[in-house]
Amino acid sequence: DIVMTQSPDSLAVSLGERATINCKSSQSLLYSPDNNNYLAWYQQKPGQPPKLLIYWASTRESGVPDRFSGSGSGTDFTLTISGLQAEDVAVYYCQQYYTTPCTFGQGTKLEIK
Amino acid sequence: EMQLLESGGGFVQPGGSLRLSCAASGFTFSTYALSWVRQAPGKGLEWVSAISGDGSSTYYAKSVRGRFSISRDNSKDTLYLQMNSLRAEDTALYYCAKGLTTAMGVWGKGTTVTVSS
């Protein structure tokens, strides 16, 4: 199984500042035939289901604010939130859908400093 | 609007069974693979099982293989998860989600399964 490891486990950032969450996979998520990285990012607020933010490692889901961006390729990926807002407090998960079982990172809890 | 609505959760003793359902609306149900993802209290997300759009292919996490069975009825736009031989560690909020080899863009609100004596 592909192991997804996020860092840090928790993060406190001031309003308006940048938050950076990292995700490392135990094997490459880059599928050469289509040149896509099979990596997604989700946001989960308390009492709510996860919400898709980013897919193909860097494509923003429709309706997601442009302060959320994804980058990386192969085994190393980053979710960046530029200009943190109060409503961004949540747990963030990366997920690989390159192969089954699809696997999630352990989650990163983002709080306001 | 694409929607998924889970039902069927409840309280069951160890060794018991439950069948979860997930009713879909707002998209062409038979076109998409669907997954079950669970979240134990206070824990992260764990993919459980998935099924292809036509139902011909099924996939399971090692933790549930042989005990859980996924199926779908494309005439009713409904996904199912039959859970047998339930264990305490199966206690979780169970979500259905649209996707398997694509990112999961639509999630239900979940249904709670509690396994306890």
Side-chain angles (χ1 to χ4, degrees):
Chain A
D1 297 1
I2 297 177
V3 177
M4 305 298 291
T5 304
Q6 292 180 226
S7 61
D9 289 334
S10 64
L11 181 63
V13 175
S14 300
L15 289 172
E17 297 300 307
R18 174 179 298 179
T20 301
I21 300 170
N22 300 300
C23 176
K24 188 173 186 67
S25 58
S26 61
Q27 64 186 74
S28 177
L29 305 182
L30 178 62
Y31 185 58
S32 299
D34 61 12
N35 202 37
N36 279 321
N37 286 282
Y38 283 57
L39 187 282
W41 289 98
Y42 300 87
Q43 175 193 66
Q44 187 178 34
K45 298 181 179 180
Q48 296 185 20
K51 173 188 174 183
L52 176 64
L53 297 176
I54 303 284
Y55 57 97
W56 302 133
S58 61
T59 302
R60 202 177 301 115
E61 174 75 329
S62 175
V64 172
D66 61 8
R67 65 179 180 274
F68 291 90
S69 63
S71 63
S73 183
T75 61
D76 293 278
F77 302 92
T78 300
L79 174 70
T80 301
I81 309 171
S82 302
L84 189 73
Q85 300 192 7
E87 61 262 35
D88 299 333
V89 169
V91 178
Y92 292 83
Y93 296 92
C94 61
Q95 178 229 352
Q96 65 81 14
Y97 48 100
Y98 184 90
T99 187
T100 53
C102 65
T103 44
F104 293 87
Q106 79 276 17
T108 295
K109 186 174 184 180
L110 177 59
E111 299 173 313
I112 304 295
K113 186 186 292 183
Chain B
E1 181 188 4
M2 292 181 285
Q3 290 189 327
L4 297 168
L5 182 62
E6 303 92 338
S7 60
F11 187 97
V12 63
Q13 293 188 330
S17 298
L18 277 177
R19 188 175 87 151
L20 306 184
S21 299
C22 173
S25 61
F27 62 96
T28 306
F29 185 75
S30 61
T31 302
Y32 295 97
L34 295 167
S35 293
W36 287 98
V37 177
R38 67 185 179 184
Q39 188 168 35
K43 301 298 184 183
L45 301 169
E46 179 190 16
W47 173 84
V48 172
S49 182
I51 188 168
S52 60
D54 64 2
S56 63
S57 299
T58 57
Y59 311 87
Y60 298 94
K62 291 188 188 74
S63 57
V64 306
R65 192 171 294 138
R67 300 187 298 122
F68 290 12
S69 178
I70 191 171
S71 62
R72 64 192 295 160
D73 185 338
N74 286 349
S75 69
K76 296 182 178 178
D77 290 356
T78 302
L79 173 72
Y80 303 100
L81 186 68
Q82 177 67 44
M83 304 187 297
N84 299 328
S85 303
L86 282 161
R87 306 167 179 166
E89 54 265 35
D90 296 318
T91 294
L93 181 60
Y94 283 74
Y95 296 104
C96 64
K98 174 173 160 284
L100 171 61
T101 55
T102 59
M104 297 178 187
V106 183
W107 294 68
K109 288 182 167 47
T111 186
T112 299
V113 172
T114 303
V115 184
S116 176
S117 55

